[in-house]
Amino acid sequence: MEDDVKKVKKPGIVSPFKRVFLKGEKGRDKKAQEKATERRALHTFSLSQPDHRIDPDILLNDYIEKEVKYLGQLTSVPGYLNPSSRTEVLQLIDNARKSHQLAGQLTSEQDAVVSLSAYNIKLVWRDGEDIILRVPIHDIAAVSYIRDDSLHLVVLKTAQESGGSPCPSSCPDLNKSQTLSSLSESGAVLVEVCCLLVLAVENKAAAEELCLLLSQVFQIVYTESTIDFLDRAIFDGATTPTRHLSLYSDDSSSKVDVKEAFEAEASTFSFQGSLEAGGNSPSASTPASPQTKTASEGELSTTAAELLQDYMTTLRTKLSSQEIQQFATLLHEYRNGASIHEFCINLRQLYGDSRKFLLLGLRPFIPEKDSQHFENFLETIGVKDGRGIITDSFGRYRRTASSASDSTTNGNGAAGGSVDSGGSDGGQEASEGDEWDRMITDISNDIEALGCSMDQEGVTP
Amino acid sequence: MTMEDMKNEADTTSMVSMALYTVMYPVFNQAEKENPGLTQDIVIKILEKKNLEINYTESLLRMAADDVEEFLINRREVEFQELNERARALKNILSTIPDEINDRVRFLQSIKDIASAIKELLDTVNTVFRKYQHQNRRALEQQKKEFVKYSKSFSNTLKTYFKDGKAINVFVSANRLTHQTNMILQAFRTVV
């Protein structure tokens, strides 16, 4: 019995190794516990079961956070990797762990927070909140859940970004073309590459929750994107000029028709009133056929006024009265000398993501000298071309759009647009430009007045 | 009832239907011209009387792809034939909405196809405007504007659908868009 008591009692002499080891262990445990209590609460919401549905508004206007462990990111992974193939993905991960590209043992050092919204997923370290990486939703190709014994891995296949990975890659950094050339026996082979973002979660339920949340994000994003595409298609088709005059040219078919008709010498087109093409179109420099009708300023005014009126009508349905006034202010500032760049940025901010397609309708407002910048801007914000989803129908439409964008580089016709007609239309140009300026000013005033009148009526679009 | 019996019954029904159609179509056609909406009223009453749970709007949409003689443009020029084709393509895709709407991925694909079809139809309309002079130009442009208006309405309906899930509104809007497509054909058919 005394021995038993002795055994319970703490020993008088403690081995120095044990003292250090135990102290160290206890210290680490204490630190981990302190960390856990210090860590802020996650920004999370309760999800309806069983499919973890979340209110779309949260993903659109807010965000949700989940705790994960960040193992690392593999870069220059062949794009043909099948994300559904457990074997393929695990093989890559195993090799990466062996070569220390991915974390081997999972400790609290890999603790991270994934923040999810309709715009991107953001990964930050749990402690310190330093950002690890951010991936826009449209860069995510696939999400996989793999259970490897006790490990619950969520793997995201994403587009490759140059210099974005915090983990060393086995392959040299690639440029934006995202191709990896390798010589094989049969010759050079170009392979598209991607990244694999490897996360670990606590259990199967957590993994399924994360996957389902991402699935809902995809649904929202691609639904919005699809509706945007529909709106753009309608707007483009509606605003393409139907008259012989074209106020701007963004439709290659219209250019081709004009050219063909003129070459056939059976044209009924009139180019004297045309504000088209900064002079690159041969039609602009050719005198009108005697059989043609000369476009009167009245016709030009009618066409322009119709287009602008159409745009105003659209604005009324899409913007609040305050926003319409802001638009009028921005337009006024631009007309008074503000740079096209500033105009574009401010408008983009005003319209936001969901209404950015409205920028398309501004083409008639943009003089030729700024048209290139404007078109480039449209492309950078993904308005001109379809985003993300690549399908046959998108392909069909994109071919038209891309050819349209080519023709646009020849210039949009608007105030002060230069028509390379060798001077013969110079006088006509000035009067057209003045007429145009007057209309734009009138319309700007109308838009401003529209905003004020909507305020008075208390109408909310 | 055996398979053979069912087949015979179907054949008989189909023959009776054809006979009825041949006799009644001219009657309904004339009555409809003088009293627009009459045919729909009668059909709906018959469905109610028979307690048939058929979604009339959905059925109408499914039939949108059917060619209707009075809406076909007879002119041989390439552009007018293209107008026929583009209109047919749009109505075809619209008619598949009831089958696609319950599968989000496929429905989004349909919407993209509808978008492309609308754009192509409008492009063809614009081409016809540019290449040909028409006496009733204003009327044609007005018809185009109506089509654009209903296309925008269709888009707005889709946005609402993705929030409230009420498919019937999508069917109604798609039917209206089909009608506007037919009106464009009719306008160009009678153009001088």
Side-chain angles (χ1 to χ4, degrees):
Chain A
M1 198 158 165
E2 278 177 12
D3 287 342
D4 288 339
V5 169
K6 270 182 192 169
K7 276 176 192 172
V8 169
K9 269 184 180 178
K10 282 183 186 174
I13 300 170
V14 179
S15 150
F17 291 109
K18 272 191 183 175
R19 195 196 295 273
V20 168
F21 181 73
L22 279 173
K23 188 178 180 185
E25 275 240 336
K26 277 184 193 169
R28 273 194 286 279
D29 283 347
K30 192 181 175 190
K31 221 175 186 180
Q33 215 172 7
E34 275 171 5
K35 254 190 200 175
T37 50
E38 275 168 14
R39 286 175 174 177
R40 64 162 177 88
L42 293 182
H43 187 79
T44 188
F45 299 85
S46 57
L47 308 176
S48 55
Q49 301 303 326
D51 50 1
H52 304 283
R53 296 238 41 112
I54 189 171
D55 183 353
D57 274 338
I58 291 172
L59 294 171
L60 281 165
N61 301 314
D62 204 341
Y63 62 98
I64 183 169
E65 288 178 330
K66 291 288 165 193
E67 217 155 52
V68 296
K69 284 194 187 297
Y70 174 64
L71 272 68
Q73 187 184 39
L74 300 180
T75 58
S76 305
V77 173
Y80 54 71
L81 169 85
N82 180 2
S84 309
S85 167
R86 187 175 185 279
T87 313
E88 273 184 50
V89 177
L90 274 181
Q91 195 169 36
L92 271 171
I93 290 176
D94 287 345
N95 290 338
R97 287 172 97 180
K98 274 186 226 167
S99 58
H100 305 291
Q101 287 178 272
L102 292 179
Q105 291 292 322
L106 295 189
T107 65
S108 60
E109 283 181 7
Q110 286 92 38
D111 286 353
V113 172
V114 63
S115 169
L116 184 59
S117 73
Y119 306 100
N120 53 224
I121 64 162
K122 189 175 74 176
L123 213 50
V124 300
W125 293 114
R126 190 66 169 97
D127 303 311
E129 307 270 342
D130 288 334
I131 191 162
I132 304 171
L133 52 81
R134 185 193 299 268
V135 183
I137 298 299
H138 62 262
D139 273 353
I140 304 174
V143 182
S144 320
Y145 163 48
I146 297 172
R147 189 178 70 79
D148 179 25
D149 297 336
S150 62
L151 209 53
H152 299 273
L153 298 171
V154 174
V155 181
L156 279 76
K157 184 181 174 188
T158 70
Q160 172 115 332
E161 283 288 336
S162 54
S165 170
C167 292
S169 166
S170 60
C171 296
D173 277 337
L174 300 175
N175 59 25
K176 280 273 184 182
S177 63
Q178 302 176 11
T179 54
L180 173 68
S181 286
S182 64
L183 285 171
S184 64
E185 285 175 11
S186 55
V189 175
L190 283 177
V191 175
E192 276 194 13
V193 293
C194 65
C195 289
L196 286 189
L197 178 59
V198 185
L199 308 172
V201 293
E202 206 178 350
N203 49 41
K204 182 182 173 191
E208 284 176 350
E209 188 181 67
L210 189 54
C211 289
L212 284 168
L213 281 171
L214 277 161
S215 162
Q216 286 171 76
V217 165
F218 291 154
Q219 237 182 40
I220 290 168
V221 168
Y222 291 117
T223 302
E224 295 257 331
S225 177
T226 302
I227 299 293
D228 268 356
F229 178 64
L230 173 61
D231 286 336
R232 282 202 309 275
I234 296 167
F235 211 83
D236 260 356
T239 54
T240 305
T242 60
R243 289 180 178 272
H244 302 318
L245 311 165
S246 49
L247 291 168
Y248 63 91
S249 175
D250 69 338
D251 185 343
S252 63
S253 66
S254 72
K255 271 198 164 285
V256 170
D257 286 345
V258 164
K259 196 177 170 193
E260 280 175 358
F262 201 80
E263 281 172 353
E265 292 182 8
S267 169
T268 57
F269 290 101
S270 162
F271 301 104
Q272 285 184 357
S274 173
L275 296 179
E276 182 181 316
N280 293 340
S281 166
S283 57
S285 59
T286 311
S289 147
Q291 290 157 348
T292 64
K293 280 186 185 172
T294 304
S296 64
E297 279 189 1
E299 271 192 38
L300 170 64
S301 300
T302 310
T303 311
E306 277 178 8
L307 276 173
L308 297 175
Q309 205 62 45
D310 212 29
Y311 192 64
M312 277 178 65
T313 310
T314 306
L315 283 186
R316 193 173 186 152
T317 62
K318 296 288 181 190
L319 303 181
S320 68
S321 60
Q322 197 183 3
E323 287 169 333
I324 287 179
Q325 284 181 345
Q326 283 172 14
F327 170 78
T329 306
L330 291 174
L331 184 62
H332 188 70
E333 282 169 5
Y334 173 57
R335 299 285 304 157
N336 283 336
S339 70
I340 178 67
H341 178 73
E342 214 177 296
F343 183 53
C344 289
I345 297 293
N346 290 335
L347 273 182
R348 171 73 177 90
Q349 220 170 0
L350 173 67
Y351 290 161
D353 238 4
S354 58
R355 298 174 300 186
K356 61 185 177 182
F357 70 92
L358 289 173
L359 285 159
L360 272 173
L362 280 168
R363 277 182 176 137
F365 291 82
I366 308 297
E368 197 204 325
K369 64 178 176 61
D370 292 336
S371 65
Q372 185 61 57
H373 184 103
F374 184 71
E375 295 302 325
N376 291 342
F377 181 75
L378 288 181
E379 204 152 330
T380 53
I381 62 170
V383 168
K384 233 168 51 161
D385 301 315
R387 285 200 86 138
I389 318 154
I390 308 295
T391 65
D392 288 345
S393 56
F394 257 80
R396 189 158 44 124
Y397 178 65
R398 283 183 76 165
R399 276 196 288 279
T400 310
S402 61
S403 58
S405 67
D406 289 342
S407 68
T408 312
T409 59
N410 290 331
N412 291 345
S418 61
V419 180
D420 187 10
S421 55
S424 58
D425 292 333
Q428 189 94 15
E429 252 182 77
S431 64
E432 281 163 8
D434 290 343
E435 172 71 14
W436 185 249
D437 271 338
R438 189 190 60 75
M439 281 189 314
I440 295 287
T441 309
D442 286 347
I443 295 291
S444 302
N445 293 338
D446 287 347
I447 290 171
E448 220 166 327
L450 180 66
C452 294
S453 70
M454 283 176 74
D455 271 339
Q456 285 162 13
E457 288 165 20
V459 170
T460 318
Chain B
M1 192 184 266
T2 63
M3 280 302 294
E4 187 66 24
D5 290 338
M6 281 166 69
K7 188 174 172 301
N8 287 337
E9 191 178 334
D11 284 343
T12 311
T13 309
S14 149
M15 279 171 59
V16 168
S17 301
M18 276 308 297
L20 196 61
Y21 175 82
T22 311
V23 167
M24 294 306 293
Y25 178 76
V27 174
F28 271 96
N29 201 21
Q30 189 60 34
E32 182 67 29
K33 277 179 189 158
E34 288 170 24
N35 298 284
L38 176 71
T39 313
Q40 177 169 295
D41 289 342
I42 292 173
V43 168
I44 288 176
K45 285 289 176 205
I46 293 172
L47 292 175
E48 281 174 12
K49 194 84 179 164
K50 292 285 181 183
N51 286 324
L52 291 171
E53 285 186 20
I54 291 175
N55 187 322
Y56 178 75
T57 306
E58 183 184 326
S59 304
L60 208 58
L61 183 55
R62 286 178 185 278
M63 292 189 290
D66 295 348
D67 274 335
V68 180
E69 181 60 37
E70 65 190 281
F71 298 134
L72 282 177
I73 303 173
N74 296 323
R75 289 179 67 158
R76 291 180 178 224
E77 293 93 329
V78 168
E79 293 80 16
F80 288 100
Q81 289 307 307
E82 206 167 282
L83 206 48
N84 276 335
E85 282 310 309
R86 297 281 165 94
R88 183 183 290 126
L90 174 58
K91 288 189 288 182
N92 225 340
I93 303 165
L94 288 170
S95 73
T96 63
I97 287 175
D99 292 326
E100 308 290 332
I101 199 165
N102 292 319
D103 181 323
R104 178 60 68 97
V105 173
R106 279 166 55 183
F107 188 43
L108 291 182
Q109 180 61 55
S110 290
I111 294 170
K112 282 181 274 175
D113 290 339
I114 290 168
S116 297
I118 288 173
K119 174 82 168 46
E120 284 173 357
L121 177 61
L122 285 170
D123 282 347
T124 308
V125 166
N126 294 333
T127 302
V128 171
F129 278 146
R130 273 193 298 272
K131 286 193 103 169
Y132 300 92
Q133 280 196 328
H134 308 292
Q135 284 183 6
N136 51 340
R137 176 61 176 253
R138 286 232 173 258
L140 294 173
E141 286 192 0
Q142 186 55 36
Q143 197 52 64
K144 178 193 165 185
K145 276 187 189 159
E146 285 292 296
F147 177 80
V148 168
K149 186 176 109 183
Y150 280 91
S151 298
K152 287 178 184 171
S153 169
F154 178 68
S155 168
N156 290 336
T157 306
L158 286 173
K159 285 167 198 161
T160 309
Y161 166 71
F162 287 122
K163 286 179 186 159
D164 65 19
K166 292 180 182 166
I168 190 71
N169 296 328
V170 176
F171 299 159
V172 168
S173 190
N175 276 329
R176 287 181 182 148
L177 189 53
T178 303
H179 177 67
Q180 287 304 316
T181 307
N182 287 332
M183 288 300 99
I184 282 194
L185 292 174
Q186 193 174 60
F188 280 94
R189 179 187 163 95
T190 55
V191 83
V192 176

